Amino acid sequence: EFHGPVFLALGWACWRTYVSPSETGESRCNAMMVLGNALRLGERASEALPVFEAHLALVRRHYSGEEEPLLGAQGNVASCLDDLGREAEALVLQREIYARWAARGISQKHTILSGYNLAVTLLKVGFWDECKTSVRDQLLPAARQTLGSDDDVTLALSRILADALAGDPESTRDDLLEAETIMQDTTQRRRRIFGRAHPHTLRAETSLSLARAKLAWAYPSV
């Protein structure tokens, strides 16, 4: 899996390769999306947002009768807004997107992905109960069944649940112990699948350390 500067270089290469066809072409539309994702994941969200907005406008103009491309393009804009600290705007859009995907079935991959994006923002704004309930009761069971326990999205949802359990100011000892247990399992899976140096693994290790630190601080006898 490519990440960092390599993924960004591939994003620009994809765009340059397919920039010449008519803008109605599927290749051009996909290339714009790839470039936006590369910029966003390369921590250049301010540059990614106009790319995603242009992609959304293109989808609305030429594929307005197809809901899936529209929801996907809106989701990219919402995630970018979240990255830029515009969580209130992102949350409105993400709730709408998730509701429309969920109407098609909670176990569909697109529903799980949009639910993940919503959960990320809920976590950032401190909507702890909604985040925990959504991930624990709906998204994680669906992800394990549809994608498998080792899938990247499943593991990311596990980390969100652990972070919500540990981050909630009202968290109990049992909450913190659950967060630690979740992240022990998630970190082991990340190391096995991605290796110790991968960003996903490093983020999992950070969440595990934070859960342990809060547990030790709040309940020193545990």
Side-chain angles (χ1 to χ4, degrees):
E1 179 184 332
F2 296 110
H3 56 86
V6 175
F7 187 37
L8 182 57
L10 289 172
W12 278 114
C14 181
W15 171 247
R16 293 189 184 102
T17 299
Y18 295 103
V19 69
S20 57
S22 165
E23 70 168 14
T24 60
E26 183 178 354
S27 296
R28 181 183 176 90
C29 197
N30 288 339
M32 189 179 291
M33 181 177 61
V34 169
L35 175 59
N37 282 328
L39 288 167
R40 177 180 167 247
L41 295 177
E43 300 184 351
R44 296 166 66 171
S46 61
E47 297 172 59
L49 182 58
V51 175
F52 283 138
E53 289 175 334
H55 177 251
L56 175 58
L58 190 66
V59 170
R60 280 177 169 156
R61 192 181 322 133
H62 297 291
Y63 305 98
S64 58
E66 301 179 38
E67 188 176 41
E68 290 190 12
L70 181 61
L71 292 176
Q74 288 177 321
N76 287 329
V77 171
S79 294
C80 211
L81 289 171
D82 181 66
D83 290 345
L84 290 170
R86 296 163 62 176
E87 292 91 353
E89 296 171 73
L91 199 56
V92 172
L93 193 51
Q94 286 167 338
R95 289 188 191 280
E96 176 187 344
I97 295 166
Y98 178 66
R100 288 164 70 181
W101 279 121
R104 299 182 172 210
I106 188 65
S107 295
Q108 289 197 15
K109 185 174 181 178
H110 287 304
T111 305
I112 297 167
L113 288 171
S114 66
Y116 163 78
N117 290 330
L118 174 59
V120 168
T121 305
L122 291 172
L123 181 66
K124 287 181 68 175
V125 299
F127 288 5
W128 311 109
D129 290 340
E130 184 179 356
C131 182
K132 287 183 286 187
T133 299
S134 175
V135 174
R136 179 190 277 127
D137 296 348
Q138 297 180 344
L139 296 171
L140 255 183
R144 286 173 178 145
Q145 179 181 7
T146 302
L147 308 175
S149 296
D150 285 343
D151 184 82
D152 181 43
V153 176
T154 305
L155 295 174
L157 284 167
S158 297
R159 184 173 66 85
I160 288 175
L161 176 57
D163 286 350
L165 287 165
D168 188 346
E170 303 297 323
S171 60
T172 65
R173 176 174 175 267
D174 286 342
D175 291 332
L176 296 174
L177 288 171
E178 183 182 357
E180 182 183 33
T181 298
I182 290 170
M183 287 316 305
Q184 283 176 333
D185 176 72
T186 301
T187 301
Q188 289 173 356
R189 293 176 187 271
R190 287 292 195 193
R191 288 170 179 165
R192 173 170 52 82
I193 297 166
F194 293 98
R196 290 181 175 272
H198 195 280
H200 291 340
T201 306
L202 298 177
R203 282 193 287 269
E205 290 174 345
T206 298
S207 291
L208 176 58
S209 296
L210 289 174
R212 285 173 169 169
K214 185 167 183 180
L215 183 62
W217 172 79
Y219 302 96
S221 61
V222 175

